[in-house]
């Protein structure tokens, strides 16, 4: 077992232990500024204990602390150790979450007018990166997990066809896994994309822990991706906004990437966030696979408990077929009410009333993350909450079936395949250059009269949560029919001003 070694963290501690006279930013001066709390009531002094130790480590770029944008000391060493730990050739620390990494990648490889092949269900940071770069996207419709109809990544055939249709595209940008922990082994994707001499960029925000235990999925960097962004703060013990960007191979322009990171990230990065990234890596090196044993055991125990206690609240069991889906993250558990009595949002609220706070909810599901060192006591509290909510659901289902709750939301049948609403699985290039449509006038027209118009707003129905239309896309009859159908079945829409989708914003 390796010793615990976190060079950046240790540098900050060493600096704090010199009792420095702070004549620089930040304004709290190593925590001294909160000494004023000592003059307040004794009950208020408790605030000091929460913040004072962290503030001692919250410094700026000093000769003793290094510079994130030109690392030569402890930050450089910490990033090199991270690259070795996660299997990349080079790793960059991010203090703006995966958002900053996704945007920096696009700025590094794109000039205005360049094309990128992108799956339609990407994080908004990818769209913002396309806007900042002035690039165009060729959108691919994703595949869907067969049981839940949740979107994963596009098919290999669609990716290869897009590469053939658009040989000038600079890269393929994929999101894997999805928010629900569902993903595909990317080795064959990397092989095909590299065969066409293109870059494979992967938003692996939800897979920072991948490849660190034999029971966890393999990482995208191990699959051969050229650049991978991971939200270290999501599943490893880093502070919020702490993330990493892993790079390998000869095709990713490293210097351009450094320049784009310097543009996107603050010139005054948070050293507590940076040190938490260093600590996360040090914990992995120190404890190895045992770091995840407890969480994996608790998640498996929770799933076994569900199998033994049939209840309206159920665990989603995805169908693995190596085509649509290769794996499901064992540390993510997706709950739903199979009776249709509670929507995902309502189930989330019920869990909160029992003191259990979920990661996210959609109209159908609730996502739970079993983090490192989750205790048996916490798992038991979750079981008690589920048992109580299930009992309540049974009573509602038996006595008040057909109430507003039951009518407003019913789970789609297992195996239902959702259509994205687009005519082609591979879109025409859509420019995100600001100047292209900047001077065009916009108007709101009835949806039924919008055929052949150019959309001026994004339309994202939930379910399935995949953008049907991006600004700049042509509104075909099929897209209009799909929007109308989803609106009639009660889908909620994001991005669009009219939540009922009776009208839509278009360019004249």
């Amino acid at each position: 077992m390796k010793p615990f070694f976190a060079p950046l963290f240790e540098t900050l501690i060493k600096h704090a232990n010199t009792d420095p006279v702070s004549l620089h930013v930040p304004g709290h001066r190593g925590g001294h500024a909160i000494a004023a709390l000592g003059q307040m009531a004794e009950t208020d002094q408790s605030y000091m204990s929460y913040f004072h130790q962290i503030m001692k480590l919250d410094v700026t770029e000093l000769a003793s602390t290094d510079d994130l944008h030109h690392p030569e000391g402890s930050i450089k060493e910490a990033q090199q150790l991270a690259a070795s730990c996660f299997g990349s050739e080079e790793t960059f620390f991010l203090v703006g979450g995966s958002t900053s990494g996704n945007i920096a990648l696009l700025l590094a490889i794109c000039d205005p007018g360049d094309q990128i092949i992108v799956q339609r269900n990407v994080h908004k940071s990818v769209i913002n990166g396309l806007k900042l770069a002035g690039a165009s996207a060729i959108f691919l419709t994703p595949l869907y997990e067969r049981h839940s109809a949740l979107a994963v990544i596009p098919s290999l055939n669609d990716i290869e066809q897009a590469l053939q249709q658009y040989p000038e595209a600079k890269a393929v940008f994929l999101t894997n896994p999805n928010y629900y922990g569902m993903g595909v082994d990317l080795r064959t994707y990397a092989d095909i994309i590299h065969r066409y001499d293109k870059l494979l960029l992967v938003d692996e925000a939800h897979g920072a822990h991948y490849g660190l235990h034999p029971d966890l999925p393999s990482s995208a960097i191990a699959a051969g991706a050229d650049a991978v962004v991971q939200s270290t703060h999501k599943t490893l013990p880093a502070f919020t906004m702490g993330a990493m960007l892993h790079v390998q191979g000869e095709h990713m322009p490293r210097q351009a990437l450094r320049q784009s990171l310097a543009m996107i990230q603050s010139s005054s990065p948070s050293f507590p966030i940076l040190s938490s990234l260093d600590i996360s890596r040090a914990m992995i090196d120190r404890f190895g696979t045992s770091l995840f044993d407890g969480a994996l055991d608790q998640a498996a125990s929770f799933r076994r408990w569900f199998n033994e206690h049939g209840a309206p609240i159920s665990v989603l069991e995805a169908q693995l077929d190596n085509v649509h889906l290769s794996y499901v993250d064992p540390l993510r558990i997706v709950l739903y009410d199979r009776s249709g009595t509670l929507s995902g949002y309502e189930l989330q609220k019920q869990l909160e009333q029992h003191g259990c706070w979920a990661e996210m909810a959609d109209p159908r599901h609730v996502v739970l993350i079993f983090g490192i060192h989750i205790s048996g006591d916490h798992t038991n509290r979750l079981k008690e909450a589920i048992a109580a909510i299930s009992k309540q659901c049974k009573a509602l289902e038996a006595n008040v079936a057909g109430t507003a709750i039951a009518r407003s939301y019913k789970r789609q049948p297992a195996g239902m395949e959702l259509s994205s609403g687009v005519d082609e699985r591979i879109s025409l290039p859509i420019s995100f250059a600001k100047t292209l449509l900047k001077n065009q006038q916009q108007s709101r027209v009835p949806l039924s009269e919008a055929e052949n118009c150019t959309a001026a707003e994004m339309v994202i129905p939930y379910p399935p949560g995949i953008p049907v239309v991006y600004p700049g896309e042509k509104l075909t009859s099929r897209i209009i029919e799909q929007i109308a159908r989803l609106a009639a079945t009660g889908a909620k829409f994001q991005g669009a001003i009219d939540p009922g989708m009776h009208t839509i914003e278009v360019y004249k």
Side-chain angles (χ1 to χ4, degrees), residues 451-475:
E451 186 174 352
N452 295 324
C453 294
T454 300
E457 62 182 359
M458 188 157 52
V459 180
I460 311 173
Y462 283 84
I466 310 302
V468 171
V469 172
Y470 281 101
E473 276 195 280
K474 184 179 179 181
L475 290 161

Side-chain angles (χ1 to χ4, degrees), residues 420-434:
S420 71
V422 294
D423 285 322
E424 300 292 339
R425 298 190 63 81
I426 303 171
S427 78
L428 295 172
I430 300 167
S431 176
F432 285 87
K434 290 184 178 180

Side-chain angles (χ1 to χ4, degrees), residues 283 287 290-296 298 370-376 378:
M283 289 178 66
F287 297 105
S290 66
L291 188 64
F292 302 93
D293 285 341
L296 288 164
Q298 289 298 320
F370 275 53
I372 293 172
H373 287 294
I374 185 172
S375 69
H378 286 166

Side-chain angles (χ1 to χ4, degrees), residues 114-186:
D114 282 347
Q115 295 179 350
I116 301 289
I117 297 170
V118 182
Q119 66 187 74
R120 188 169 282 273
N121 54 319
V122 293
H123 187 264
K124 60 185 177 182
S125 61
V126 176
I127 302 302
N128 290 334
L130 291 167
K131 291 178 179 178
L132 289 171
S136 295
I138 295 121
F139 286 115
L140 305 186
T141 300
L143 296 173
Y144 298 91
E145 191 275 320
R146 297 182 189 280
H147 178 65
S148 64
L150 291 169
V152 285
I153 67 174
S155 71
L156 276 169
N157 288 338
D158 285 348
I159 286 177
E160 185 161 23
Q161 185 177 341
L163 289 167
Q164 292 171 351
Q165 287 182 220
Y166 300 99
E168 63 274 28
K170 302 292 287 290
V172 176
F173 206 131
L174 300 177
T175 301
N176 190 65
N178 66 11
Y179 212 144
Y180 305 86
M182 301 173 179
V184 175
D185 189 314
L186 293 176

Side-chain angles (χ1 to χ4, degrees), residues 305 350-351 354-356 380-390:
W305 177 81
Q350 291 285 335
L351 287 169
H354 290 271
C356 298
N380 287 334
R381 285 179 59 185
L382 177 61
K383 291 176 183 177
E384 292 170 1
I386 295 295
I389 296 169
S390 292

Side-chain angles (χ1 to χ4, degrees), residues 163 187-200 223-226 248 251:
L163 289 167
R187 285 174 293 183
T188 51
Y189 284 79
D191 290 343
I192 287 178
I193 292 165
H194 290 154
R195 194 185 306 156
Y196 286 84
D197 199 28
K198 306 299 180 184
L199 289 163
L200 171 57
D226 298 278
Q248 65 185 354
H251 300 296

Side-chain angles (χ1 to χ4, degrees), residues 408-427:
S408 65
Y409 187 83
K410 287 189 177 180
R411 189 172 183 275
Q412 293 180 0
M416 178 177 178
E417 294 282 345
L418 293 176
S419 166
S420 71
V422 294
D423 285 322
E424 300 292 339
R425 298 190 63 81
I426 303 171
S427 78

